Amino acid sequence: MPLTNTQYDLILRSYENRQLKNRRELEQRTAYVYDHVPGYRELEERVAAVSVSQGKKYLAGDEQAMEELKLLISELSFQKARLLTEAGLSRDYLKPVYTCPDCRDTGYIDGQKCHCFKQAMISLLYEQSNIREMLQNDNFQALSYEYYRDEDLPRFKNAVITCQNFIKNFNSDYHNLFFYGTVGTGKTFLSNCVAKELIESGHSVIYFSAAGLFDLLSRYSFDYKSKEEERERYADLYQCDLLIIDDLGTELTNQFVASRLFSLLNERHMGKKATVISTNLSLEELRDRYSDRIFSRITSHYELCKLTGPDIRMYKKRLSNRK
């Protein structure tokens, strides 16, 4: 589910609006030239007249007519360009205006999506993900091992390799990731690194904090008005290529939460839709807080990545305060 039909339609409408805007700009430029560049309109009229005249000659059997037409058109084009430059305008002032010259604002080149169309898709995917701003800082380019020591370092390195393999094989292998361990050790950071790479490659990614996720599920279940408003976001939970659930365990846990969490994880597993979960809970705390079914689902179908070490956020804050 890279994009919904509605999202595709939104992009296509943007191309229609782009074409309309550029067509109007060309019309305004043409009107300006006709009003301010003496002789230009007459040259254009001569181009049309010559084309018709030479066309008639060709149909009448004059095989030289087309060659003559090319020479005449070339000379008239030269004269038109000279008038534009003498008026202080560029030679291509009246050429078609395109926001993307590569695809000429169609979105496609030889039946394939243009780079501008792909970028529009990615922009929509970022908006859909809920984490556009977070990913400006949380990405593999900002990755650092300097905060890890002793056994914490190989654990983090192994988690990074697991993430990179997860991304590399995303289209061919169904996998899920479960980051757990102590506070501030990079669990959310790695989740976001995965999110950024997949969004950039055109996959739909949805991010939710655990509290935000269960708030949505609760409103969808018990508030009729919210159910109508949130229908599309709710569907995305089950259909997006990757769902990220951050800080599992920080929500108010009850029977409803446990039931809906299992239903969500189970349906995504049945549909082979990947999920990444991060939590500060230990595996024992996870088992005690949620149902045996949830614990079994996670430990059986997720790659477990344990991260330990100092709270990096607090460490960075202390360093900042010393400066």
Side-chain angles (χ1 to χ4, degrees):
M1 193 206 98
L3 286 180
T4 64
N5 289 336
T6 300
Q7 290 170 319
Y8 266 113
D9 290 342
L10 182 63
I11 293 177
L12 292 177
R13 282 199 300 274
S14 74
Y15 277 96
E16 292 173 0
N17 293 334
R18 182 184 296 182
Q19 292 167 9
L20 179 61
K21 172 180 173 293
N22 291 336
R23 195 157 51 241
R24 286 175 177 169
E25 182 176 344
L26 181 59
E27 290 171 355
Q28 291 172 355
R29 291 186 180 188
T30 302
Y32 176 86
V33 169
Y34 286 173
D35 290 341
H36 295 84
V37 182
Y40 193 93
R41 183 197 291 266
E42 289 75 10
L43 287 176
E44 289 220 320
E45 291 173 351
R46 283 188 60 190
V47 170
V50 164
S51 297
V52 172
S53 174
Q54 293 301 115
K56 289 181 178 179
K57 288 182 179 180
Y58 180 76
L59 292 175
D62 186 348
E63 296 182 356
Q64 300 300 317
M66 290 298 100
E67 289 299 320
E68 292 175 0
L69 177 61
K70 289 180 182 180
L71 293 174
L72 290 169
I73 293 293
S74 177
E75 174 60 26
L76 290 171
S77 297
F78 175 79
Q79 293 180 36
K80 287 164 59 180
R82 185 179 62 190
L83 288 180
L84 290 176
T85 55
E86 288 175 350
L89 302 173
S90 64
R91 295 172 60 90
D92 59 356
Y93 187 71
L94 291 185
K95 286 187 176 180
V97 179
Y98 299 117
T99 304
C100 178
D102 295 335
C103 69
R104 299 188 175 186
D105 294 338
T106 63
Y108 288 83
I109 301 175
D110 297 330
Q112 300 297 317
K113 292 185 184 69
C114 179
H115 58 84
C116 64
F117 195 105
K118 293 177 181 178
Q119 188 58 52
M121 290 175 57
I122 290 172
S123 294
L124 271 180
L125 292 171
Y126 268 117
E127 291 179 17
Q128 182 186 44
S129 71
N130 300 327
I131 50 174
R132 177 189 289 271
E133 293 183 0
M134 292 171 61
L135 298 189
Q136 293 177 1
N137 298 314
D138 289 1
N139 52 69
F140 282 121
Q141 286 67 41
L143 180 67
S144 174
Y145 297 106
E146 65 176 299
Y147 306 105
Y148 300 89
R149 299 288 185 273
D150 303 323
E151 65 180 8
D152 304 330
L153 181 57
R155 281 177 174 168
F156 185 71
K157 285 185 174 181
N158 288 335
V160 171
I161 293 173
T162 298
C163 290
Q164 292 171 337
N165 289 333
F166 178 83
I167 295 165
K168 179 181 178 181
N169 302 316
F170 191 81
N171 291 330
S172 57
D173 295 328
Y174 163 64
H175 284 89
N176 304 292
L177 299 178
F178 184 79
F179 298 110
Y180 71 104
T182 51
V183 175
T185 50
K187 299 182 293 296
T188 298
F189 174 82
L190 288 180
S191 298
N192 290 345
C193 287
V194 170
K196 181 176 177 62
E197 294 297 317
L198 291 179
I199 290 174
E200 291 288 343
S201 61
H203 295 88
S204 57
V205 177
I206 303 292
Y207 167 94
F208 271 101
S209 66
L213 171 65
F214 293 113
D215 178 62
L216 171 63
L217 293 176
S218 177
R219 284 186 282 111
Y220 189 82
S221 298
F222 303 116
D223 186 332
Y224 178 77
K225 182 177 179 181
S226 293
K227 186 170 186 175
E228 291 302 310
E229 295 174 348
E230 302 287 2
R231 186 178 300 278
E232 187 170 333
R233 292 182 76 203
Y234 181 81
D236 286 343
L237 292 177
Y238 295 88
Q239 298 171 9
C240 65
D241 297 329
L242 176 66
L243 172 65
I244 296 178
I245 305 174
D246 193 28
D247 271 344
L248 185 67
T250 56
E251 77 286 351
L252 179 63
T253 307
N254 52 39
Q255 187 174 356
F256 168 81
V257 166
S259 173
R260 297 315 301 266
L261 177 60
F262 176 78
S263 175
L264 176 60
L265 298 185
N266 188 58
E267 284 203 36
R268 289 191 61 81
H269 173 65
M270 296 299 291
K272 296 193 180 303
K273 296 292 186 180
T275 306
V276 172
I277 299 174
S278 68
T279 182
N280 294 328
L281 301 175
S282 66
L283 292 181
E284 292 76 13
E285 290 171 327
L286 178 73
R287 181 186 58 210
D288 294 341
R289 183 182 288 253
Y290 301 98
S291 66
D292 290 337
R293 293 190 304 171
I294 292 175
F295 181 76
S296 175
R297 177 68 69 205
I298 290 175
T299 54
S300 299
H301 299 290
Y302 285 66
E303 293 186 67
L304 306 182
C305 298
K306 183 176 182 180
L307 298 178
T308 56
D311 187 332
I312 296 173
R313 284 166 294 196
M314 294 301 297
Y315 179 73
K316 287 182 177 179
K317 186 175 181 180
R318 287 196 298 270
L319 287 179
S320 178
N321 291 336
R322 291 176 186 172
K323 296 179 180 179

